[in-house]
Amino acid sequence: MITGDANNNVTDHIFEKIGYNLHKRPDHPLGIIKSAIEDYFDETFGKDTFTSFDDLYPVVSAYANFDSVLVPPDHVSRSANDTYYVDAENVLRCHTSAHQLEMLKDGATKFLVTGDVYRRDSIDATHFPVFHQMEGVRVFEKEEWESKGVEAVDLARDELRSTLEGLARHLFGDVEMRWVDAYFPFTEPSMELEIFFKGEWLEVLGCGVMEMQILEEAGLGDKRAWAFGLGLERLAMVLFDVPDIRLFWSDDKRFTKQFEAGMFKAGGVDMRKFKPYSKYPPCLKDVSFWLPKDAEDGSNLFSENNLCEVVRDAAGSLVEEVKLIDEFENKKKGLTSNCFRIVYRSMERSLTDDEINTIQEKVREDMVAKLGVELR
Ligand code: DAH
């Protein structure tokens, strides 16, 4: 635990990830995708029209993370089940949108912010509690819509759409796209861009016209803006054929040597893809238990996210997946039983029975001590 604060739920395993800055490594797939996006903005708007920030510290105030972008007071993302709290007032940012208001207040009007973001979540091949996002914001002056004789929001929305469609083509080549209505507290209208890639509709990014309240708070009440946010891992996984999100954290040469700055080609066409080296065997462990009863206020120590945190803390990057495989209620006892399957697998080597048994024993002990379950 990084502080003794009662509200702290940042485990050592998570805290250790601060400062890795994978997005700042030019030869790392995340750094390569980041550069490809920055290049697109340079080509489209002129070199350095958009200023890039990738050095903003991931510990931010809960105000910046939530209130500054109008996340409602009762929104689930504020819960300690979803967000890492350093103490009651400070969090590990769960999105790069946390920086919108401060950047606007600092006078930035066209900018990209890339950074590591942190979310408590379930565990599988596409979810890791630390990942990377890129945020883009563009502010319009009154003259821009007046000289064109159009409504401010229409100008912002139209440029947003064409800019991001262009970005999707820059990344994915000539693909089919569609816009889907969405909801974000910080934009209105809000939408998501999906592309049809390798036989599937894939969500690429969220975006919208910035809520006026944010601009007013920044002293820019006479302007308009658009904003977008996207996840770099998701893009890098599909573009480079990386099968497991944990690989991005690997310093195994068999992974790192396959990537280099400048290798990116739109849509991955004629681009070298990731060639998996041998896949090591998984080790499966099931754990069955009775859930604790709800507390008087209806809360429960057990949640899937809390279980994943316990497993993550004991196993680090050796856990591949945690999934519920059975659930039933014993009416007489008034208790619910769950069985979870934990899949352990290293990206780099074969695991030994001994080391997994030791980890699994720690998981079982922590489940009793921290989650209040009764093992069966
Ligand atoms: N912050 C959003 C997320 O993490 C992504 C996002 C959506 C950012 C819309 C934006 C936006 O700036 O306008 O899911």
Side-chain angles (χ1 to χ4, degrees):
M1 296 289 169
I2 67 168
T3 63
D5 193 279
N7 291 288
N8 175 60
N9 61 353
V10 184
T11 59
D12 292 338
H13 178 256
I14 298 302
F15 184 64
E16 282 161 10
K17 298 289 183 278
I18 295 178
Y20 267 75
N21 292 328
L22 300 177
H23 59 289
K24 292 178 65 177
R25 303 183 187 178
D27 292 325
H28 189 280
L30 300 180
I32 294 170
I33 299 294
K34 183 194 83 156
S35 298
I37 296 172
E38 290 173 346
D39 289 348
Y40 168 77
F41 277 88
D42 278 350
E43 285 163 22
T44 309
F45 290 88
K47 190 153 175 48
D48 298 330
T49 304
F50 274 74
T51 315
S52 289
F53 298 88
D54 55 13
D55 245 341
L56 304 177
Y57 197 57
V59 178
V60 302
S61 64
Y63 170 82
N65 197 69
F66 300 119
D67 306 82
S68 84
V69 280
L70 315 177
V71 175
D74 54 354
H75 197 269
V76 284
S77 65
R78 290 185 185 249
S79 73
N81 191 51
D82 288 30
T83 291
Y84 290 105
Y85 280 81
V86 175
D87 56 37
E89 274 88 47
N90 296 287
V91 302
L92 301 185
R93 65 183 164 216
C94 70
H95 55 181
T96 42
S97 306
H99 297 289
Q100 282 190 9
L101 180 61
E102 57 165 312
M103 301 303 304
L104 290 170
K105 281 188 173 168
D106 282 351
T109 56
K110 297 187 184 74
F111 58 92
L112 302 169
V113 173
T114 310
D116 37 332
V117 300
Y118 297 75
R119 288 187 199 173
R120 296 179 96 243
D121 210 337
S122 49
I123 296 179
D124 64 29
T126 60
H127 289 89
F128 197 74
V130 191
F131 60 104
H132 297 76
Q133 282 188 334
M134 186 181 259
E135 190 87 8
V137 172
R138 134 79 148 144
V139 178
F140 292 84
E141 302 291 326
K142 202 176 191 162
E143 297 77 66
E144 295 186 71
W145 63 84
E146 283 186 351
S147 68
K148 294 192 169 69
V150 294
E151 293 293 323
V153 8
D154 293 335
L155 176 64
R157 194 191 51 237
D158 291 351
E159 187 191 280
L160 172 68
R161 287 199 174 169
S162 58
T163 302
L164 296 176
E165 287 170 12
L167 174 63
R169 273 192 298 274
H170 180 76
L171 294 175
F172 290 95
D174 191 14
V175 286
E176 213 185 318
M177 305 181 198
R178 67 182 183 197
W179 287 100
V180 181
D181 289 339
Y183 164 78
F184 303 105
F186 24 94
T187 45
E188 176 59 35
S190 304
M191 53 215 123
E192 284 169 353
L193 178 59
E194 296 186 344
I195 59 151
F196 198 68
F197 196 64
K198 295 183 186 162
E200 274 184 313
W201 284 103
L202 176 83
E203 183 198 316
V204 178
L205 53 82
C207 65
V209 178
M210 190 181 287
E211 283 284 1
M212 279 311 298
Q213 206 183 319
I214 300 176
L215 286 166
E216 279 158 15
E217 187 63 33
L220 306 172
D222 56 339
K223 309 196 195 300
R224 270 286 180 173
W226 55 245
F228 73 88
L230 53 79
L232 291 177
E233 274 82 351
R234 174 199 287 254
L235 297 179
M237 286 180 85
V238 295
L239 286 166
F240 289 113
D241 286 347
V242 173
D244 190 300
I245 194 166
R246 290 174 294 161
L247 283 162
F248 294 121
W249 296 90
S250 172
D251 50 21
D252 190 319
K253 294 253 181 318
R254 290 172 295 176
F255 180 77
T256 57
K257 286 280 182 218
Q258 296 197 34
F259 301 93
E260 61 187 299
M263 72 186 287
F264 180 75
K265 297 215 174 68
V269 179
D270 294 332
M271 179 175 82
R272 203 167 65 238
K273 298 298 181 80
F274 172 65
K275 280 191 209 61
Y277 32 95
S278 88
K279 196 163 179 181
Y280 297 92
C283 175
L284 277 47
K285 296 283 176 189
D286 292 349
V287 54
S288 301
F289 54 92
W290 298 111
L291 266 57
K293 292 204 163 132
D294 288 349
E296 266 175 25
D297 63 1
S299 67
N300 198 302
L301 274 179
F302 180 85
S303 71
E304 187 169 339
N305 283 359
N306 286 346
L307 170 63
C308 286
E309 210 50 46
V310 159
V311 180
R312 198 59 97 179
D313 206 30
S317 288
L318 298 182
V319 56
E320 177 167 294
E321 189 173 15
V322 174
K323 60 181 171 206
L324 180 64
I325 56 171
D326 188 42
E327 176 164 48
F328 68 86
E329 223 184 303
N330 183 319
K331 288 251 160 54
K332 251 203 319 240
K333 287 190 172 181
L335 288 174
T336 301
S337 166
N338 276 357
C339 179
F340 275 84
R341 171 156 299 163
I342 306 175
V343 182
Y344 296 99
R345 189 203 306 260
S346 166
M347 295 278 110
E348 278 128 32
R349 59 190 175 80
S350 291
L351 299 169
T352 66
D353 278 344
D354 274 359
E355 72 182 315
I356 293 308
N357 288 338
T358 309
I359 291 172
Q360 183 68 6
E361 206 34 57
K362 167 105 169 55
V363 167
R364 293 171 65 90
E365 281 167 18
D366 284 355
M367 287 177 68
V368 174
K370 296 182 181 165
L371 309 182
V373 311
E374 188 191 331
L375 298 172
R376 309 183 45 214

